[in-house]
Each structure stands twice: as C-alpha cells, then as structure tokens.
Amino acid sequence: SFYVINKMLISSEGVLISSWTNQIDITIPKEVKKIGDYAFMNCQNLYYVCISEGVKRIGDWAFGLCKSMHTVIVPNSVTSIENHAFLGCIALKSIDIPNGVTHIGAVAFFNCKSIDKLLIPHSVISIGGAAFNRCSSHIKLHSDNPHYQIENEMLIYSSKEVISCWSTSKHIEIPNGVIEIGERAFVFCKLINTVEIPDSVKRIEDFAFGG
C-alpha cells in the first residue's frame, strides 16, 4: 500500500503523505499525483522544490510554515492549491501559478511577504478568503480573468465581494459598489487604523476583520 522514495512516504494511489528529508533541494517523484495534507509542513531546511509534472493537487498545509523555502516550481498539471498550502513561507520569493489552476484555497499564501511577483492566471475561478493577506504588494491578476479584479490592493470577486487584502496602508477605502466583505478578507491586517465602508455593502462575513 505504501513505498518510500528519498525519505518521502507515498501511497499506492500516488499521494505523498509525509517527508522526513533534510535536503535543501528536492524534486517531487514523478509517481506522485497529489501532495497530501501537511506533507512538508514545517520542514525548515527546504529551500528549492520542483514539483514534477503529473501532480494535480497541492494539499492543505502541504508546505505550510516552511520558513526557508525560496523557490517552488509548479507544473502545468496542477489544478488546485488547497487551504494553507504555503501559509507562513516567509522567504518564498519565486512561484508561478500555472494556467490551468482553477482553485486557490483560503489563506493559501498568507504572510508570504517576500514574493517578488505572483500572477493569478485567467483559469482561476475560486479563491478562498485571505488567500494573499500579508503578502507583498506584487500580486497581479491576468487581464483575461473574468471572475476577479484588483483595486486598492484588494482582490474583489465579480459578485462584488472583497476576498483578500494585502495593502500596507493605514487607511483603507472599500470601493463603492462592493456588496459583501468576505470571510477573513482583512484578517490580521494589523497596520490598518481606519476603514471606510460604503453604503453599498450589505454583509460583513465571519472573521472579516479578525485580529
């Protein structure tokens, strides 16, 4: 039911379950189809990760709290980046989300404050709350994405819901026309002193301004 490659435990279904490698640079074996939940969480030595073609999902907390990780190569086969997948990867500078990814989970890149650039491709149709909170200001959106827009360093869904904010400003103005401030949208945005919410807003969801 299981086998081990380079100190990585893999199931017969192709799920990478756990790793106890001390290597700085790793390549995910070609047999892997999914990087499982918590698989590399808190692996402090990781610096460079190459995910092999064939992996379709990066699971919850898969690389969470890998505080030394600098570069991740994500293949075109990946379609889903789950909740907390890269949360707290404070040294992460280089990652390209390939066109073909349709889902980015809640707080997936939370506090990835060193990212040089991150482009949300036009294939993405679902993004969870606080996905990019406390990131650098280099979050961009592909011009052909019909589902989202970026305004004042806030990610806004086409239904006029604020999803995530990475602004370092002390004063935040929610754009006029926004109807909903989504779950965790401003969670742990600790630099904010004042927020102007327009009359168009009808709902403020759970934990929207938590912390």
Side-chain angles (χ1 to χ4, degrees), residues 34 51 59 73 84 113 124 141 179:
K34 176 188 175 181
I51 302 174
I73 307 300
H84 312 88
K113 57 186 179 182
V124 172
L141 182 68
I179 296 172

PDB file of all heavy atoms in Angstrom, residues 34 51 59 73 84 113 124 141 179:
ATOM      1  N   LYS A  34      -0.697  13.680  -6.002  1.00  0.00           N
ATOM      2  CA  LYS A  34      -1.165  14.698  -5.058  1.00  0.00           C
ATOM      3  C   LYS A  34      -0.143  14.836  -3.933  1.00  0.00           C
ATOM      4  O   LYS A  34       0.336  13.818  -3.412  1.00  0.00           O
ATOM      5  CB  LYS A  34      -2.530  14.338  -4.463  1.00  0.00           C
ATOM      6  CG  LYS A  34      -3.003  15.346  -3.406  1.00  0.00           C
ATOM      7  CD  LYS A  34      -4.261  14.907  -2.682  1.00  0.00           C
ATOM      8  CE  LYS A  34      -4.610  15.893  -1.568  1.00  0.00           C
ATOM      9  NZ  LYS A  34      -5.833  15.492  -0.815  1.00  0.00           N
ATOM     10  N   ILE A  51       8.194  20.508  -8.272  1.00  0.00           N
ATOM     11  CA  ILE A  51       7.064  19.577  -8.289  1.00  0.00           C
ATOM     12  C   ILE A  51       6.961  18.992  -9.697  1.00  0.00           C
ATOM     13  O   ILE A  51       6.822  19.734 -10.670  1.00  0.00           O
ATOM     14  CB  ILE A  51       5.764  20.286  -7.889  1.00  0.00           C
ATOM     15  CG1 ILE A  51       5.910  20.896  -6.494  1.00  0.00           C
ATOM     16  CG2 ILE A  51       4.577  19.328  -7.937  1.00  0.00           C
ATOM     17  CD1 ILE A  51       4.721  21.745  -6.059  1.00  0.00           C
ATOM     18  N   GLY A  59      -2.013  19.865  -1.331  1.00  0.00           N
ATOM     19  CA  GLY A  59      -2.983  19.741  -0.255  1.00  0.00           C
ATOM     20  C   GLY A  59      -2.893  20.799   0.830  1.00  0.00           C
ATOM     21  O   GLY A  59      -2.001  21.658   0.851  1.00  0.00           O
ATOM     22  N   ILE A  73       8.749  25.312  -8.010  1.00  0.00           N
ATOM     23  CA  ILE A  73       8.377  25.132  -9.416  1.00  0.00           C
ATOM     24  C   ILE A  73       7.087  24.329  -9.461  1.00  0.00           C
ATOM     25  O   ILE A  73       7.043  23.182  -9.005  1.00  0.00           O
ATOM     26  CB  ILE A  73       9.484  24.402 -10.207  1.00  0.00           C
ATOM     27  CG1 ILE A  73      10.837  25.110 -10.039  1.00  0.00           C
ATOM     28  CG2 ILE A  73       9.098  24.292 -11.675  1.00  0.00           C
ATOM     29  CD1 ILE A  73      10.864  26.535 -10.511  1.00  0.00           C
ATOM     30  N   HIS A  84      -4.184  26.928   3.139  1.00  0.00           N
ATOM     31  CA  HIS A  84      -2.940  26.995   3.930  1.00  0.00           C
ATOM     32  C   HIS A  84      -1.733  26.384   3.225  1.00  0.00           C
ATOM     33  O   HIS A  84      -0.703  26.146   3.863  1.00  0.00           O
ATOM     34  CB  HIS A  84      -3.089  26.280   5.293  1.00  0.00           C
ATOM     35  CG  HIS A  84      -4.310  26.625   6.079  1.00  0.00           C
ATOM     36  ND1 HIS A  84      -5.514  25.950   5.928  1.00  0.00           N
ATOM     37  CD2 HIS A  84      -4.528  27.554   7.025  1.00  0.00           C
ATOM     38  CE1 HIS A  84      -6.403  26.449   6.752  1.00  0.00           C
ATOM     39  NE2 HIS A  84      -5.836  27.435   7.432  1.00  0.00           N
ATOM     40  N   LYS A 113       5.496  37.134   2.570  1.00  0.00           N
ATOM     41  CA  LYS A 113       5.791  38.560   2.447  1.00  0.00           C
ATOM     42  C   LYS A 113       6.994  38.876   1.569  1.00  0.00           C
ATOM     43  O   LYS A 113       7.276  40.048   1.320  1.00  0.00           O
ATOM     44  CB  LYS A 113       5.993  39.165   3.831  1.00  0.00           C
ATOM     45  CG  LYS A 113       7.080  38.518   4.662  1.00  0.00           C
ATOM     46  CD  LYS A 113       7.087  39.105   6.063  1.00  0.00           C
ATOM     47  CE  LYS A 113       8.158  38.462   6.932  1.00  0.00           C
ATOM     48  NZ  LYS A 113       8.134  39.004   8.310  1.00  0.00           N
ATOM     49  N   VAL A 124      -8.279  30.670 -13.005  1.00  0.00           N
ATOM     50  CA  VAL A 124      -8.749  30.580 -11.616  1.00  0.00           C
ATOM     51  C   VAL A 124     -10.183  31.082 -11.497  1.00  0.00           C
ATOM     52  O   VAL A 124     -10.495  32.202 -11.899  1.00  0.00           O
ATOM     53  CB  VAL A 124      -7.831  31.385 -10.673  1.00  0.00           C
ATOM     54  CG1 VAL A 124      -8.423  31.445  -9.270  1.00  0.00           C
ATOM     55  CG2 VAL A 124      -6.440  30.761 -10.628  1.00  0.00           C
ATOM     56  N   LEU A 141      -3.144  40.214 -11.427  1.00  0.00           N
ATOM     57  CA  LEU A 141      -4.227  39.405 -11.979  1.00  0.00           C
ATOM     58  C   LEU A 141      -4.123  39.406 -13.492  1.00  0.00           C
ATOM     59  O   LEU A 141      -3.948  40.463 -14.102  1.00  0.00           O
ATOM     60  CB  LEU A 141      -5.572  39.985 -11.531  1.00  0.00           C
ATOM     61  CG  LEU A 141      -6.843  39.257 -11.970  1.00  0.00           C
ATOM     62  CD1 LEU A 141      -6.951  37.901 -11.278  1.00  0.00           C
ATOM     63  CD2 LEU A 141      -8.074  40.106 -11.648  1.00  0.00           C
ATOM     64  N   ILE A 179     -20.562  44.774  -2.378  1.00  0.00           N
ATOM     65  CA  ILE A 179     -21.765  44.376  -1.654  1.00  0.00           C
ATOM     66  C   ILE A 179     -21.436  43.595  -0.386  1.00  0.00           C
ATOM     67  O   ILE A 179     -22.145  43.678   0.607  1.00  0.00           O
ATOM     68  CB  ILE A 179     -22.679  43.533  -2.573  1.00  0.00           C
ATOM     69  CG1 ILE A 179     -23.166  44.375  -3.758  1.00  0.00           C
ATOM     70  CG2 ILE A 179     -23.869  42.948  -1.812  1.00  0.00           C
ATOM     71  CD1 ILE A 179     -23.917  43.585  -4.811  1.00  0.00           C
TER      72      ILE A 179
END
